[in-house]
Amino acid sequence: MEDRSHLTTLKGAYDHKMMEVTLRVRRYAGEGARAHTETYTVDVPVTATLLDCLDEIKDKQDGTLAFRKSCRMAVCGSCGMRMDGGAVLACKTAMKPFVDAGHTVTVSPMGNLPVIKDLVVDMAPFWSKIRAIKPYLDTGGAKAPEKEWRVTPVQGHLVSKEALCILCGCCVSECISMESDPDFLGPAALAKAYRFVGDVRDGDTRARLKDLSGAHGIWDCTRCYFCNQRCPKGVDPRDAIAKLGAEAFREGLTRDEGARHAKVFVNSAHKGGFLRETELVPKTIGPVAAITQIPFALQLARAGKVPNPLAPHKAKDNAEVKRLWKLLESQAPKQKERANSGAPIDGTES
Amino acid sequence: MQERYAYYPGCLASLSQKELDSSTRAIAAKLDVELIDMPSVTCCGAGDIHEAKPDYHLHLSARILGQAERSGAEVLLTICNVCTLNLRQANSKLQNDPAELARVNDNLKATGIGGYNGGVDVRHLLWEVSQGEGYDRFKSVATRSLEGLKVAPFYGCQILRPAKMLGFEDPDRPQSLERLIEACGAEAIDYPAKIKCCGFPIVLAREQVALGELVQPLQQATEAGADVMVTPCPLCHLSLDAWQKKASDHAGADFKIPVLHLAQLLGAAAGLDEQTLKFRRHITRLDDSVKGKLRLPSVVGR
């Protein structure tokens, strides 16, 4: 190689130190075929990502290996797959730490989506859920501004995390509620929904929240936080779902069992301090459905697990909490913040 | 490990899961640490207040953390995953955003409530006894070996994820429960669902979805040959224990696996008896073989 030592700023760029990476890859040839695992060993630069290793396998060892890829820089969201059971972007996952630890990783397709071939999943159910939440701005009949919507940085920041989503599906892959209820809208679609509910230019907030509050919506989330843990872009979908819950409460949309459940907790805090467990069941699922739970409740009561409803546990000094609740309710915004259509935000004429 | 903790048992250990509270107090006494009671604290909101009324959750947490601070303790000790995450989420905001801390303190002051200076850490019992000096102390009191007992650790969600709020150990490969199970002389059983969800937060609002989630750990722990499961979270416990029959019906299976609170397992190894550990308060009963393996004095002495 020619002497490039004068290129001091690029030092390291020509450093081709290599390492050997061994991968176990889940292979599946398609409908009717049996899935199996194959082991590959590749020689790659020490800077190699999981995607670099898969490319090396496909180029030099086995052209039949199927996986999606495009941008190679964690922007396009194509290369979501599971490594050791957890969803990652292949292009964002450096392999050196695993080599150093002497650990052979296992690569498999994402979960909660049908597998087409090898590491390629069918994203159709994913897209249909994204479409279901109406992923575009609806001004709610408000006249479009003459020039542009004026959105302050603070207002824009309301949805800045959710706007980072690259639709890779890593969160959906790990969603536990979706494993149990495949119709659950799931973390990606709900984070996208908040991206519009929280958008100060959007005027369809109430209708959106009404749709999202029903079956398979906001209140299906079991708060396992796998989505936050797996998202490669810091969207924190679970936090977005919680924001939708708060917006639904602000709009008074609290008919769903999940919202009623949350309401019992909110009220318990200033009506005694601790959760009123005996109120939780009837107030969540309604008095009629609660009757069907009586045998179950008696079983719990026999083990001493049902606190006395007539003498509920009371925390000391709970009057403080009641005052705090009243003060905060008086401070809470009653309406969603909206963008100012056309008015300048810096005091000068545009 | 601290000499004294501001003790926050949370709702469940104070109400329906009292066996967790009595076991925790007893194991703390064995470890020679003081638990300071905070009689005016409220519920942490269980994620529900955080979701429905986030600002109320922040203020309630500040009130709880402020009381812990005034007790003179540096650490608020939790025995529930959900309390741990909820209080840590609020604490992180209050400690890292001076403007928010000032706003919250103004509101607390306006309603006659003592403020919070950001000087308390929130830590779970599991973290305190599974490493460092706390682990050594536990080893020295774990005099009754539970040899022959196969224990399936069940972590639950909110002590592992999101790691940036919890950060005690690798959320995908946790080892703290295994370390303690082995310190008890018992054998830790491995199974993939040990880091998954018990379904408890939605068990009332979406029972069928929750039961589908609950089946996984029960099934895998049973198939792996565990005698008992152990969990650091009373919500997971209630789900795994009290909803076990419903999960059996849901899966067309017949699960019969007793579930222990972490403090009960530690207590059994530290020589505590049924009078303190109160296994009789469980829905899924411990049969004589399991009681024998736990070597409870009442059984051994019989």
Side-chain angles (χ1 to χ4, degrees), chain B residues 17-143:
Chain B
Q17 307 273 73
K18 287 191 175 119
E19 69 277 9
L20 171 58
D21 182 50
S22 62
S23 304
T24 304
R25 289 178 190 275
I27 195 74
K30 282 268 182 191
L31 296 169
D32 201 22
V33 299
E34 185 192 348
L35 300 183
I36 307 163
D37 283 312
M38 298 186 286
S40 18
V41 292
T42 56
C43 168
C44 77
D48 278 65
I49 299 181
H50 190 186
E51 174 149 8
K53 297 281 176 183
D55 204 34
Y56 190 32
H57 163 254
L58 186 65
H59 284 76
L60 287 175
S61 302
R63 183 174 173 272
I64 295 166
L65 293 163
Q67 286 182 38
E69 197 169 52
R70 283 188 292 282
S71 79
E74 287 172 24
V75 175
L76 178 151
L77 186 74
T78 55
I79 48 173
C80 168
N81 290 5
V82 176
C83 297
T84 307
L85 178 62
N86 271 272
L87 289 172
R88 285 182 73 90
Q89 281 170 326
N91 204 23
S92 160
K93 200 168 208 179
L94 296 166
Q95 288 179 332
N96 296 313
D97 188 340
E100 270 296 81
L101 182 64
R103 182 182 68 87
V104 168
N105 274 327
D106 283 349
N107 281 331
L108 293 179
K109 202 173 158 196
T111 43
I113 300 170
Y116 176 51
N117 297 314
V120 171
D121 194 8
V122 176
R123 295 181 64 82
H124 191 288
L125 172 69
L126 170 65
W127 301 351
E128 294 302 272
V129 294
S130 65
Q131 67 165 23
E133 200 229 329
Y135 177 76
D136 296 338
R137 263 198 222 191
F138 174 67
K139 280 283 273 189
S140 71
V141 302
T143 49

Side-chain angles (χ1 to χ4, degrees), chain A residues 18 79 92 119 148 167 213 251 258 268 348:
Chain A
M18 303 296 277
C79 65
K92 199 181 172 228
L119 305 174
E148 62 194 347
L167 303 165
S213 291
E251 285 284 338
S268 290
T348 59

Side-chain angles (χ1 to χ4, degrees), chain A residues 261-297:
Chain A
H261 186 267
K263 219 171 177 176
V264 177
F265 277 89
V266 170
N267 291 333
S268 290
H270 46 270
K271 284 184 183 166
F274 275 10
L275 170 65
R276 298 183 161 203
E277 288 170 311
T278 40
E279 286 182 11
L280 195 57
V281 178
K283 290 200 170 163
T284 299
I285 60 179
V288 177
I291 291 169
T292 64
Q293 301 284 346
I294 286 175
F296 180 60

Side-chain angles (χ1 to χ4, degrees), chain A residues 83-84 98 103 161 176-181 213-226 228-230 234 236 238-239 241-247 249-250 256-258 261-263 265-266 269-270 273-277 280-281 284-285 293 296 299-300 302-307 313-318 320-325 327-329 331, chain B residues 8 10-12 14-19 39-43 45-57 59-60 63 67 85 89 103 106-108 110-114 157-158 160-164 171-173 195-202 204-213 216 237-238 241-243 245-246 250 261 280-283 285:
Chain A
M83 190 174 84
D84 290 343
F98 301 97
H103 175 69
K161 277 171 86 174
I176 292 193
S177 279
M178 209 187 281
E179 285 178 2
S180 187
D181 173 15
S213 291
H216 316 300
I218 305 172
W219 305 104
D220 254 35
C221 172
T222 190
R223 303 179 194 152
C224 71
Y225 284 88
F226 261 116
N228 281 24
Q229 191 63 41
R230 297 287 185 245
D236 289 339
R238 162 61 211 159
D239 297 4
I241 298 171
K243 291 177 205 169
L244 288 172
E247 287 299 296
F249 261 74
R250 189 191 45 69
D256 186 274
E257 287 89 346
H261 186 267
K263 219 171 177 176
F265 277 89
V266 170
H270 46 270
F274 275 10
L275 170 65
R276 298 183 161 203
E277 288 170 311
L280 195 57
V281 178
T284 299
I285 60 179
Q293 301 284 346
F296 180 60
Q299 193 195 6
L300 262 60
R302 274 197 295 276
K305 289 208 180 285
V306 179
H313 182 99
K314 283 210 167 181
K316 263 181 69 190
D317 309 322
N318 207 240
E320 288 181 7
V321 183
K322 198 168 266 176
R323 290 198 296 274
L324 180 63
W325 164 251
L327 176 70
L328 294 179
E329 278 299 277
Q331 292 175 352
Chain B
Y8 185 78
C11 291
L12 284 189
S14 309
L15 301 167
S16 64
Q17 307 273 73
K18 287 191 175 119
E19 69 277 9
S40 18
V41 292
T42 56
C43 168
D48 278 65
I49 299 181
H50 190 186
E51 174 149 8
K53 297 281 176 183
D55 204 34
Y56 190 32
H57 163 254
H59 284 76
L60 287 175
R63 183 174 173 272
Q67 286 182 38
L85 178 62
Q89 281 170 326
R103 182 182 68 87
D106 283 349
N107 281 331
L108 293 179
T111 43
I113 300 170
C157 300
Q158 298 187 10
L160 298 174
R161 295 177 298 271
K164 67 179 171 192
D172 292 317
R173 296 161 202 84
I195 61 167
K196 293 185 92 173
C197 185
C198 72
F200 193 78
I202 55 170
L204 291 178
R206 298 285 191 274
E207 189 175 77
Q208 292 307 305
V209 183
L211 291 176
E213 295 166 10
Q216 289 193 35
H237 185 278
L238 204 53
D241 176 43
W243 266 263
K245 175 77 177 60
K246 287 193 180 195
H250 184 87
H261 297 286
R280 63 179 180 278
R281 292 178 52 89
H282 291 191
I283 304 297
R285 295 304 171 119

